[in-house]
Amino acid sequence: MTIGLRPEDFARLSGGYDDNPKRSSSLKSEAYVDPRWFELDQQAVIARSWQWVCHVEKVREPGSYTTVQIAGKPIAIVRDRDGELRAFYNVCKHRAHELLSGDGNTTRIMCPYHAWVYKLDGQLARAPHTEHLENFKLDDICLDQVQVEEFCGFIYVNLDPKETPLREQSGDLETEIRHWAPDIDQLTFGHRLTYEIKSNWKNVVDNFLECYHCPTAHKDFCELVDMDTYKVTTHGIYSSHMADAGNSPNAAYDVSNATVRTHAVWWLWPTTCLMRYPGRSSMIVLNIIPAGPDLCYETYDFYLETPEPDETEKEAIRYLDEVLQVEDINLVESVQRGMSTPAFDQGRIVHDPEGSGKSEHAVHHFHGLVLDAYKGAII
């Protein structure tokens, strides 16, 4: 690897991890603070996994497009004239200028630098003032394609051309999601929250995957859901987190008239979190975007029955933004600071064989997937 990591580095990092969560310690702190491991995250995890982009409604119509950055690479997702979903590196084949920006609808892709024009399937259609060039044919030039997939109402891309489809990798995830959210394809965008977090992205995932900290740090949340019913189950590349809504008044937001009475949450390797909170039918997508060894970004997109949140959803958004996220960001930023000291190397995984929300077995599951990705890249 060009980043200078060797098999002996992996052996050191994986020390203390055991396949059995009852005997295992966590990932070592250097995985969260050393820039070399962050670079490997980008190369071996983010660039080789299925990354969430948007709800299908954003690219449902022919000519519709959206743009994203995946592992630092610009990507464009386009619905062509025949209705086929396509994804490309958002890079002109002339001088590498980015082609599309933001979201929109178009009949062609024109580079804003020198006006090279591509069809929606990526094929070059026009290149001004090239008629006198030798050994130059429009038909020989096409944008570099990226894997793209529509899955459970959302769009995902994968920069690795050899990776198997998400639908094959994810086992029963689609069945689970469509059981609890049968109308997911018809939901519409309602609101977005964004955050900058001074923490490694893996700390954010760790925190999301356990509710061991909830009675201490999220007292309102422990009233919103019935913690006695909270169960966490790990599978392949995802984990399910299920609980019933609480039955008594709570300080988070009112769910007394909720039509959805289940707190259903799924984490999908490595950075996507799908959440269906009590209330109306909805889906909240938390997307975690790694940006540095000690920096990441989060977006919370709320997909609702209507474009405008109702009063309960407004309260839920307020609670997530002003209470729950404040609590969680404070937690992970404190953990990041602690991991940057010589006082911490790794800690024990707390495991409940009954799979309760207060167990850390989903964190252990995540750490195993991280180590598998690292091992595949280094050894």
Side-chain angles (χ1 to χ4, degrees):
M1 301 292 294
T2 58
I3 53 180
L5 291 169
R6 298 165 297 179
E8 51 265 39
D9 296 311
F10 175 78
R12 183 184 65 254
L13 187 79
S14 57
Y17 178 86
D18 192 287
D19 288 340
N20 187 335
K22 291 189 288 188
R23 295 195 297 262
S24 186
S25 292
S26 64
L27 272 179
K28 292 195 173 182
S29 58
E30 68 175 276
Y32 300 78
V33 300
D34 189 326
R36 296 177 303 165
W37 292 110
F38 175 76
E39 189 174 340
L40 190 61
D41 285 340
Q42 294 287 68
Q43 294 179 12
V45 177
I46 305 304
R48 294 184 180 178
S49 59
W50 287 96
Q51 295 289 307
W52 179 87
V53 176
C54 63
H55 191 275
V56 67
E57 71 169 354
K58 186 175 279 190
V59 287
R60 184 171 276 148
E61 300 302 320
S64 56
Y65 68 86
T66 190
T67 57
V68 291
Q69 294 265 340
I70 303 293
K73 307 295 190 296
I75 305 297
I77 298 91
V78 180
R79 183 80 67 175
D80 72 16
R81 291 183 177 181
D82 296 325
E84 183 173 349
L85 193 64
R86 298 179 180 273
F88 312 99
Y89 282 97
N90 190 19
V91 176
C92 183
K93 303 298 284 187
H94 174 221
R95 294 271 297 281
H97 197 283
E98 292 182 1
L99 295 163
L100 296 170
S101 60
D103 314 309
N105 193 289
T106 187
T107 58
R108 60 181 185 169
I109 302 171
M110 187 175 78
C111 181
Y113 197 7
H114 299 99
W116 280 34
V117 176
Y118 301 83
K119 300 176 185 177
L120 297 185
D121 64 2
Q123 180 63 50
L124 182 63
R126 185 171 69 87
H129 310 298
T130 59
E131 58 271 17
H132 302 299
L133 297 182
E134 297 181 6
N135 302 317
F136 181 87
K137 296 180 182 179
L138 298 181
D139 291 345
D140 292 340
I141 298 175
C142 188
L143 300 178
D144 287 12
Q145 296 206 31
V146 169
Q147 286 204 78
V148 62
E149 187 171 340
E150 185 176 327
F151 178 78
C152 283
F154 294 104
I155 305 301
Y156 295 81
V157 298
N158 195 315
L159 302 189
D160 187 346
K162 297 179 182 178
E163 274 295 338
T164 55
L166 177 57
R167 191 165 273 102
E168 292 181 18
Q169 290 188 21
S170 57
D172 294 330
L173 178 59
E174 181 170 17
T175 301
E176 281 193 37
I177 291 175
R178 292 195 181 279
H179 171 77
W180 294 105
D183 60 347
I184 191 169
D185 300 270
Q186 284 71 52
L187 297 176
T188 188
F189 177 77
H191 193 74
R192 168 171 277 197
L193 299 172
T194 59
Y195 305 94
E196 178 181 298
I197 304 175
K198 296 181 178 65
S199 171
N200 187 275
W201 69 278
K202 296 187 292 295
N203 266 329
V204 177
V205 175
D206 289 349
N207 183 70
F208 182 87
L209 290 177
E210 50 91 354
C211 222
Y212 184 38
H213 69 280
C214 292
T216 306
H218 301 315
K219 297 185 185 302
D220 295 341
F221 179 82
C222 292
E223 297 174 349
L224 176 65
V225 304
D226 182 354
M227 290 299 294
D228 291 336
T229 66
Y230 203 124
K231 296 294 180 184
V232 179
T233 310
T234 61
H235 321 257
I237 62 166
Y238 75 97
S239 55
S240 305
H241 306 247
M242 302 289 176
D244 295 335
N247 294 314
S248 58
N250 68 83
Y253 64 93
D254 182 16
V255 296
S256 58
N257 296 318
T259 56
V260 173
R261 299 291 304 173
T262 302
H263 171 78
V265 173
W266 299 270
W267 167 78
L268 174 61
W269 164 261
T271 54
T272 305
C273 308
L274 306 169
M275 300 174 280
R276 190 168 169 88
Y277 273 30
R280 281 200 304 176
S281 181
S282 66
M283 188 64 75
I284 308 167
V285 181
L286 163 58
N287 188 37
I288 303 165
I289 306 165
D294 56 359
L295 179 66
C296 66
Y297 297 93
E298 286 183 339
T299 58
Y300 271 81
D301 284 350
F302 294 77
Y303 296 95
L304 313 171
E305 293 181 16
T306 57
E308 287 297 321
D310 67 13
E311 290 306 312
T312 297
E313 288 159 350
K314 289 178 182 177
E315 278 301 298
I317 292 169
R318 180 206 61 77
Y319 164 68
L320 277 167
D321 186 34
E322 299 179 9
V323 179
L324 192 61
Q325 274 297 94
V326 172
E327 293 167 345
D328 275 332
I329 290 172
N330 285 338
L331 291 173
V332 298
E333 290 187 341
S334 176
V335 168
Q336 186 69 31
R337 291 192 296 270
M339 284 184 167
S340 301
T341 72
F344 183 83
D345 181 41
Q346 64 185 153
R348 279 298 295 265
I349 294 292
V350 174
H351 179 247
D352 174 5
E354 298 298 317
S356 76
K358 297 176 184 178
S359 175
E360 295 178 322
H361 60 286
V363 178
H364 173 265
H365 172 243
F366 167 54
H367 291 180
L369 291 173
V370 171
L371 289 172
D372 285 346
Y374 288 175
K375 183 177 181 180
I378 294 174
I379 297 178

